[in-house]
Amino acid sequence: MNTKRTRIYEGKAKILYEGPEPGTIIVHYKDDATAFNAQKKAVIDGKGVLNNRISELIFTRLNELGMPTHFLKRLNMREQLVREVEIIPLEVVVRNVAAGSLSKRLGLEEGSALPRSIIEFYYKNDQLGDPMVSEEHITAFNWASPQEIDDIMHMAIRINDFLSGLFLGIGIKLVDFKVEFGRLYENDMVRIVLADEISPDCCRLWDIKTQDKLDKDRFRRDMGGLMEAYQEVARRLGLIIEVEQPERSRPKLVKTD
Ligand code: TMP
């Protein structure tokens, strides 16, 4: 018997459905790619499947390290089961190397080293184009409390340390990334947990040897080869098993006499 699922929300790259138990949600990864607040759109076959797998691996490892996250388990090729959280309306960006909007804003050459990792906050609001905000705005408008901002910054730095090491080990430089957090209500407790996804859609990943971009900038900047780049990240993370090519039979000497 087919039962219709209840759709809670459809975003640019994901759809949320009610989960099987109260307090759970099913996240469905679409193949849609958008940039510049959805002014640029495309469907890239298979992107959702790869992001689902890559995000699963990263959230599983973070859970194992004791980082509180919303992630419970992957359900199938495109879906994962997560805990329902109240999303804090902030995009938290951590930068290790100058690139993208920071390079533009401060006139820094892309790829130049930063004196230290930098955390930035953007207010999640598509109509306003996600403007950058400071801790003053966040507390004044009550988007998060000072204690919550503190927790978020500590978690963002831990995530950066973990991800930088993970990618360094597979020959990739983590230039920057964006994460989102939520409030998890459990009995009379509320705590901040990592939510949303971590995938090449929301990170800048550069090959250490060639400086090739292995992330969504390939789409934002019309460079092509997005799927190949995401596949390369998945392959290096051990998510795509390489099938050994059967050894070609060597040319044989033909007897002529
Ligand atoms: P930015 O340099 O364009 O501000 O982007 C910083 C990082 O945040 C980069 O890794 C891409 C990611 N990002 C998102 O995930 N979603 C967004 O809407 C934007 C603007 C950036």
Side-chain angles (χ1 to χ4, degrees):
M1 188 187 72
N2 282 337
T3 44
K4 198 167 184 317
R5 296 193 292 187
T6 308
R7 185 182 292 219
I8 302 172
Y9 175 79
E10 178 155 3
K12 287 184 285 233
K14 296 187 285 288
I15 306 173
L16 305 185
Y17 296 98
E18 254 176 26
E21 280 146 41
T24 63
I25 284 181
I26 295 169
V27 181
H28 178 105
Y29 284 75
K30 298 192 283 184
D31 282 341
D32 300 22
T34 68
F36 314 115
N37 208 2
Q39 289 175 57
K40 180 170 175 168
K41 285 186 202 170
V43 175
I44 295 166
D45 277 347
K47 178 176 83 78
V49 172
L50 286 176
N51 281 353
N52 186 26
R53 290 302 301 270
I54 294 171
S55 201
E56 172 201 13
L57 180 139
I58 293 172
F59 274 71
T60 303
R61 299 265 180 92
L62 286 168
N63 277 343
E64 286 164 3
L65 291 175
M67 164 78 53
T69 84
H70 74 159
F71 180 80
L72 292 169
K73 62 175 181 180
R74 184 169 63 83
L75 295 171
N76 55 49
M77 296 279 275
R78 287 193 179 270
E79 295 178 333
Q80 38 185 254
L81 186 69
V82 303
R83 286 181 212 276
E84 184 177 20
V85 298
E86 180 182 87
I87 288 286
I88 292 172
L90 295 174
E91 300 207 338
V92 180
V93 170
V94 183
R95 300 181 185 272
N96 299 307
V97 174
S101 70
L102 178 74
S103 285
K104 275 209 187 107
R105 200 178 326 118
L106 300 185
L108 300 170
E109 194 185 333
E110 280 218 316
S112 55
L114 296 173
R116 60 171 174 80
S117 300
I118 294 173
I119 302 179
E120 295 172 344
F121 298 106
Y122 295 83
Y123 177 44
K124 250 174 88 72
N125 185 317
D126 281 345
Q127 278 170 346
L128 300 175
D130 300 342
M132 192 177 175
V133 291
S134 74
E135 291 177 49
E136 275 287 283
H137 301 104
I138 298 169
T139 49
F141 294 113
N142 227 352
W143 296 324
S145 69
Q147 177 61 51
E148 287 175 332
I149 298 176
D150 217 46
D151 290 351
I152 286 172
M153 290 180 76
H154 276 105
M155 287 167 75
I157 288 166
R158 274 188 73 198
I159 296 163
N160 185 43
D161 286 346
F162 164 72
L163 286 181
S164 295
L166 175 74
F167 285 118
L168 187 64
I170 54 170
I172 292 174
K173 191 196 303 185
L174 177 67
V175 171
D176 54 34
F177 63 95
K178 183 269 296 182
V179 275
E180 296 182 24
F181 295 87
R183 291 185 191 96
L184 179 66
Y185 293 90
E186 278 174 323
N187 307 318
D188 53 355
M189 295 281 286
V190 52
R191 62 184 170 132
I192 300 285
V193 302
L194 177 67
D196 195 44
E197 68 175 285
I198 298 181
S199 72
D201 264 12
C202 44
C203 300
R204 282 200 175 91
L205 304 170
W206 294 355
D207 183 274
I208 286 174
K209 278 202 197 119
T210 62
Q211 304 298 314
D212 270 358
K213 295 186 198 306
L214 301 174
D215 58 62
K216 202 170 132 186
D217 269 351
R218 301 202 75 88
F219 171 71
R220 296 189 191 98
R221 302 180 186 194
D222 293 320
M223 299 168 76
L226 185 98
M227 270 306 280
E228 290 76 7
Y230 283 32
Q231 269 164 359
E232 180 61 16
V233 174
R235 189 188 66 75
R236 292 194 202 179
L237 286 170
L239 294 172
I240 296 176
I241 296 152
E242 280 160 286
V243 182
E244 291 251 339
Q245 292 293 322
E247 216 181 302
R248 289 246 181 91
S249 55
R250 292 172 184 229
K252 287 189 185 107
L253 281 174
V254 179
K255 264 191 153 187
T256 50
D257 62 343

